[in-house]
Amino acid sequence: MNHITLISDWQLNEPYVAMFKGRIISQIPDVQFFDLTHSIDVLNVNKTAFLLKSAYSSFPEGTVHLILTGVSDSIPQNPLVVQLNGHFFIGIDNGILPLMFSDEIDGRIRVFTLEEGGLLSKMISLARICLLESWETQTEPFPNPKRKLPFSADYFQNRNMLNGMVVYIDEQANVLTNIPVAMFRKYVNLNNFRAKIGTTVVTRFHEKYMEDDEPYFLPNSLGVMEIAVYSGRLAILARWQKDTSVEIECDVK
């Protein structure tokens, strides 16, 4: 079975996702699709990179991840591919691949130039080659991909502060930060910290969803810290938006 994930800003109120899957099925046998999401904000490369980087390792090695945010046949580009950790990532030169992996992919991004036709047809052909053929012989090095600044969390030892941001708010108004769980556990005194998110102060931590009248941090299955409130829509109540800063005083004296 050949595994392909799809992530895009195409939405689902039009038939384009289904049509694209139909085109893939006609070229790649025994394919199984996994839709990560098609509800990315238009051209939001940061959210795309964050969600795919958080989710891809849940799939078996050899999976091809098609990154369709900002992609259409009207774009005069050739698709890029990088193989990392046993997975293939196919997208375009819009900064998503360097955002996901930073220096890990230096010198490893390749471009597919052997196929005529529109961009989507080229991406499908490249996916087929990655799954069924020798992809390295049909691609060329792409040494200077477009780069965007990574949205990483930072720890400042001199102030004992951990700074991050809100990177994703889902339809239930659950709030995900860009702070890795491991970083949070390493630097934050779970029993005595103070976080400021917008005008809201959070001082609580739970290992899982709990009945608590106050907002609290908890580990999310994507490997980052979530901020929640029991049976509430915290982002709406607090008027948080994407890119709202998260400033954590790691050990309150």
Side-chain angles (χ1 to χ4, degrees), residues 136-156:
E136 289 180 301
T137 63
Q138 301 190 55
T139 57
E140 301 174 1
F142 191 78
N144 296 305
K146 182 181 296 182
R147 292 186 178 273
K148 293 181 177 291
L149 291 175
F151 49 103
S152 58
D154 294 300
Y155 174 69
F156 299 93

Side-chain angles (χ1 to χ4, degrees), residues 44-192:
N44 192 325
V45 297
N46 282 338
K47 184 182 289 187
T48 304
F50 169 77
L51 290 177
L52 181 53
K53 183 176 182 180
S54 300
Y56 83 86
S57 61
S58 299
F59 297 92
E61 290 189 8
T63 298
V64 170
H65 306 276
L66 289 176
I67 308 168
L68 302 171
T69 297
V71 170
S72 73
D73 271 333
S74 63
I75 297 176
Q77 285 195 34
N78 290 313
L80 306 180
V81 60
V82 64
Q83 185 187 39
L84 192 68
N85 301 326
H87 294 249
F88 293 97
F89 302 88
I90 296 175
I92 60 173
D93 187 25
N94 58 3
I96 290 178
L97 292 173
L99 260 179
M100 288 178 62
F101 299 115
S102 189
D103 296 340
E104 290 183 73
I105 57 172
D106 282 354
R108 302 181 67 168
I109 298 179
R110 301 179 69 86
V111 60
F112 180 60
T113 60
L114 301 180
E115 186 86 7
E116 295 183 356
L119 176 57
L120 293 174
S121 293
K122 293 178 183 178
M123 294 183 79
I124 295 171
S125 295
L126 181 54
R128 184 191 69 242
I129 290 167
C130 290
L131 289 167
L132 304 175
E133 302 178 28
S134 178
W135 63 280
E136 289 180 301
T137 63
Q138 301 190 55
T139 57
E140 301 174 1
F142 191 78
N144 296 305
K146 182 181 296 182
R147 292 186 178 273
K148 293 181 177 291
L149 291 175
F151 49 103
S152 58
D154 294 300
Y155 174 69
F156 299 93
Q157 185 174 6
N158 60 333
R159 295 185 289 130
N160 198 22
M161 294 285 294
L162 182 57
N163 287 0
M165 66 176 65
V166 172
V167 294
Y168 185 60
I169 300 171
D170 68 17
E171 293 183 358
Q172 283 72 48
N174 297 315
V175 178
L176 299 187
T177 76
N178 67 334
I179 301 173
V181 172
M183 178 182 283
F184 188 89
R185 292 187 186 277
K186 179 178 180 179
Y187 294 116
V188 175
N189 181 342
L190 303 182
N191 297 311
N192 195 33

